[in-house]
Each structure stands twice: as structure tokens, then as C-alpha cells.
Amino acid sequence: MKPPHVLALALAFAALPAFAADASKPIRALLITGGCCHDYGAQKDLLKSGIEARANIVVDHMHSPDTTGSPPLPLFGNPDYARGYDVVIHDECAADPRDPSSFKSILKPHLDGLPAVNLHCAMHSFRSGDYSKPVARGADNAQWYEYLGLQSTGHGPLEPIAITFVDKDHPIARTLDGWTTVNEELYNNVQILDGKALATGRQIVKQSRRQPDGSVTEEAQAVETVVVWTNEFGPRKTRVFSTSLGHTTATVADARYLDLVTQGILWATGRAGQAGYAKKK
């Protein structure tokens, strides 16, 4: 009979291949793009290549070339659209659908515990009723905002946004630094529901004012909102990461933006800091 320490070592080495295989198993991500107002044809490819270069993640596309506010995506009416995936990246701009009953199938995977990442115009999708006012918790038109953890309804002009991380201890933000974007859309915060702020964005907006004497003067006003946040959604406390940044293709191509999105995916799937997932650049 082998000595106990030899037997223990043999068992440990026998377990290594299975552990290594599990640790190297890639995260399967479904990236949903299409709809109004953005160059999703280019942005979807930038996101896929940028994310896959940074972490052990395989990104599949669900893309529609439709440029209206109601892109005909296969997720509509199909609660199983995300079957087999570890995370869904919502980057669609579906601002026109108004039937709250149709949103239930979109949210079903996340209610069941599937992690999610939301980018830019996803914040302005799947809204109904008078969404310009703060929604009431539990109302039909609150579904998507409760999932996001924050309600946004619009944005200001295209101007640079200075980004500051306000929770540097969070696993997403530990390795990230703030930066100033190119001209970007700063989304408003109608109300913060259960979202936890990770970063704010500050934009200087110029406004023209006509004086009593008929002359016109320009005034600069600083506007600051939450632009990166996390949420725990539904009874299963599903991890949801969101950033309202990402209007321009230049921002989506920015290495700092891709770092942020990748860290959000790793956190949402519970892989932040785990060996075998983050790739060395």
C-alpha cells in the first residue's frame, strides 16, 4: 500500500486535468446589436474582437442590420433566446416597441439568473407608458428600468465626457482609470433605482442665451450623471452590469472602453480575478 502522502499527491495530480479544463472553459457571450442611430455593423465586430482579445470569452452575434427603432431581432417573443449562453450583452437600440407584455420574454433569462451586460442605447430600449417621468416600482413600464437599476430617458449634445470612477474598490474598477472620451452622448439619470454607481461622467455643455438688449451670450454648464453601474436583479439577484457610454464607434474602439466592458462581463459572470480568464495584454 502506498504511503498516505504519496496517495494524496497522486490524487491531486489526477484532479489537475479536470480542473485545468474547467478553468480554461471560455465564457459564452451573446452580443445583441441592431436598431436605430448607431453603426452597429462596425461596432459589433469591434466589441467581439476587443473582448475576445482581453479575456477567455467567445462572443456570438445576434445582429439585425435594420436601422429603425424596432429591429426584428429573434429575441422578441422567444424566452429561450439566450439558451446555452453564460451572459447576454444587450447593445440593441429598440426604442420603439411599446408593448410591456413583450418585454417579459426578453427579461425571462435574467429573471432566471442569467447575467447581463448593457451598453449605451440598451438603456433607452423596451420602454412604455409615460417613461419621461420617474416610473413606479412594480409598474408595467418599470420592468426594464428595474432590471437595469437606473432610469434614463435622453441625452445631451455630443461633447467630451470626463469619466471618474467613484468606487475604486469594486472588482470591475480596480484596474481601471478614468479618462476623457471623444465627443459622446451623456445620458441623463431620471432616477437611480437599485443600481450601484461605479463611475460618473461630467460634460461641459454650452448654451446660448439671448439677453434683454437682444445680444446673445454663451454660457457653459457642467452636467454630471452616473455612467457606469451594477445591479442585482430579481429574486435570484442576477448580476447586471451597465454603461451608458458607447455612442460613437471611436469610443467603442477605445482600449479603455473595451477594458471596461470586459471587466463588466467578468464580474457579471463571477469570473473577476479568477485564473484562466483575463488575458495578459
Side-chain angles (χ1 to χ4, degrees), residues 27-42:
I27 298 166
R28 292 199 62 204
L30 176 62
L31 170 62
I32 302 174
T33 52
C36 172
C37 313
H38 304 86
D39 186 4
Y40 287 121

Side-chain angles (χ1 to χ4, degrees), residues 33 36-50 91 120 158 179 181-185 245-258 261:
T33 52
C36 172
C37 313
H38 304 86
D39 186 4
Y40 287 121
Q43 292 177 11
K44 66 180 177 60
D45 295 331
L46 287 167
L47 285 165
K48 176 179 171 65
S49 60
D91 191 27
H120 192 57
L158 280 168
W179 81 95
T181 70
V182 296
N183 287 346
E184 260 294 323
E185 291 179 345
L245 302 168
H247 176 75
T248 67
T249 300
T251 295
V252 176
D254 193 309
R256 296 162 295 190
Y257 182 79
L258 291 166
V261 173

Side-chain angles (χ1 to χ4, degrees), residues 19 22-23 25 27 56 266 269-279:
F19 172 79
D22 184 65
K25 184 179 179 181
I27 298 166
N56 191 13
L266 293 175
T269 57
R271 267 71 161 210
Q274 283 192 18
Y277 284 98
K279 294 180 180 178

Side-chain angles (χ1 to χ4, degrees), residues 2 28 31 42-43 101 107 109 125 141 175 180 188 205 211 213 237 240 253 266 269 274:
K2 294 182 179 179
R28 292 199 62 204
L31 170 62
Q43 292 177 11
S101 65
L107 288 171
S125 297
N141 69 341
T175 61
T180 298
N188 64 6
V205 178
Q211 303 301 318
D213 63 1
K237 302 293 183 183
V240 179
L266 293 175
T269 57
Q274 283 192 18

Side-chain angles (χ1 to χ4, degrees), residues 30-227:
L30 176 62
L31 170 62
I32 302 174
T33 52
C36 172
C37 313
H38 304 86
D39 186 4
Y40 287 121
Q43 292 177 11
K44 66 180 177 60
D45 295 331
L46 287 167
L47 285 165
K48 176 179 171 65
S49 60
I51 291 166
E52 291 181 345
R54 285 164 169 75
N56 191 13
I57 302 171
V58 174
V59 178
D60 292 336
H61 290 142
M62 179 188 287
H63 174 69
S64 170
D66 187 279
T67 58
T68 71
S70 297
L73 290 160
L75 59 80
F76 290 107
N78 176 17
D80 294 326
Y81 70 91
R83 185 179 296 277
Y85 288 97
D86 301 307
V87 62
V88 175
I89 307 169
H90 287 283
D91 191 27
E92 65 270 53
C93 195
D96 289 346
R98 292 288 187 267
D99 180 8
S101 65
S102 70
F103 305 159
K104 296 184 187 301
S105 63
I106 299 167
L107 288 171
K108 180 68 162 56
H110 308 307
L111 276 169
D112 291 344
L114 185 68
V117 168
N118 306 283
L119 308 179
H120 192 57
C121 199
M123 313 319 152
H124 295 168
S125 297
F126 313 125
R127 51 198 185 181
S128 64
D130 188 358
Y131 56 82
S132 65
K133 298 177 181 177
V135 297
R137 290 177 186 269
D140 277 346
N141 69 341
Q143 294 177 75
W144 191 251
Y145 296 130
E146 289 182 323
Y147 151 75
L148 294 171
L150 184 152
Q151 180 183 359
S152 175
T153 60
H155 58 80
L158 280 168
E159 295 287 349
I161 299 173
I163 300 162
T164 302
F165 285 94
V166 295
D167 185 357
K168 284 293 292 181
D169 292 328
H170 194 280
I172 292 173
R174 283 174 191 159
T175 61
L176 304 178
D177 295 315
W179 81 95
T180 298
T181 70
V182 296
N183 287 346
E184 260 294 323
E185 291 179 345
L186 181 65
Y187 277 21
N188 64 6
N189 296 164
V190 173
Q191 63 174 326
I192 298 173
L193 295 163
D194 296 316
K196 307 298 182 185
L198 292 187
T200 59
R202 189 172 186 267
Q203 191 178 63
I204 304 300
V205 178
K206 296 178 181 178
Q207 294 181 331
S208 297
R209 295 187 182 277
R210 185 170 295 278
Q211 303 301 318
D213 63 1
S215 63
V216 177
T217 61
E218 275 199 350
E219 297 178 3
Q221 180 182 8
V223 180
E224 189 168 1
T225 66
V226 173
V227 295

